[in-house]
Amino acid sequence: MIYASLKLIHVLSIVLWIGGMFFAHAFLRPAVQSLEPPVRIRLMHDVLKRFFTTVQVVVLLVLFSGLWMIGRVAKETVQAGLPFNMPLGWTVMATLGILMIVVFGHIRFALFKRLSRAVSASDWPAGGAALGSIRIWVGVNLILGVATIAATLLLG
């Protein structure tokens, strides 16, 4: 029951993270393009602040639940007298997941900080540039997230 509960938390956290990136990238950003820069940049800042705060929690949930599930399977396998060989799909998932966390860290603690400074200073060109950088890196993380899901489902 614990394993199933942690797997549910793991999957729902990933759905929230990747779904949120897709929503922001494919729907929110294009919809606000017609707004004046001060309004658009403030709105995106406020939305991203909320989303990134949630993703910080989600990242911890994904990391904890994933490590716990791998550790539990490894422990049970070794206790049964068998060698533990992590499946390729799990290895790819873990590797890409850690890369996604690193990319998120860059977005949250470097690029979003630039955006926050620009909004505080009402420097709309700098805010637009920061949003452009965030968009690129969110796109990278979105691709990594989809690749992670695909590898997990296709490689087992």
Side-chain angles (χ1 to χ4, degrees):
M1 184 67 167
I2 292 175
Y3 187 91
S5 297
L6 285 174
K7 190 171 187 179
L8 177 63
I9 289 168
H10 193 80
V11 171
L12 289 176
S13 295
I14 290 166
V15 166
L16 194 151
W17 188 5
I18 295 173
M21 288 190 296
F22 185 77
F23 172 79
H25 202 69
F27 301 106
L28 178 61
R29 188 182 83 47
V32 301
Q33 286 301 105
S34 63
L35 298 174
E36 293 296 318
V39 175
R40 180 181 73 244
I41 293 168
R42 277 192 189 108
L43 174 65
M44 289 300 294
H45 175 267
D46 291 349
V47 169
L48 291 174
K49 182 177 180 181
R50 287 186 166 107
F51 179 63
F52 292 160
T53 299
T54 300
V55 172
Q56 284 177 234
V57 173
V58 163
V59 162
L60 294 174
L61 290 172
V62 168
L63 193 57
F64 170 77
S65 60
L67 290 172
W68 191 92
M69 287 186 293
I70 290 170
R72 176 155 180 194
V73 170
K75 180 181 175 185
E76 289 175 358
T77 303
V78 170
Q79 285 177 340
L82 302 169
F84 175 69
N85 296 311
M86 194 155 85
L88 178 60
W90 291 13
T91 303
V92 171
M93 176 178 46
T95 303
L96 291 176
I98 290 168
L99 184 56
M100 286 181 68
I101 291 169
V102 169
V103 169
F104 171 70
H106 174 65
I107 293 167
R108 173 61 185 90
F109 298 109
L111 301 178
F112 186 72
K113 194 174 269 188
R114 286 184 207 155
L115 176 60
S116 294
R117 281 194 304 264
V119 168
S120 293
S122 298
D123 184 349
W124 309 124
L131 276 174
S133 296
I134 290 170
R135 180 185 61 80
I136 290 168
W137 284 103
V138 166
V140 168
N141 239 10
L142 186 55
I143 290 167
L144 289 171
V146 170
T148 303
I149 292 170
T152 302
L153 294 176
L154 296 174
L155 299 174

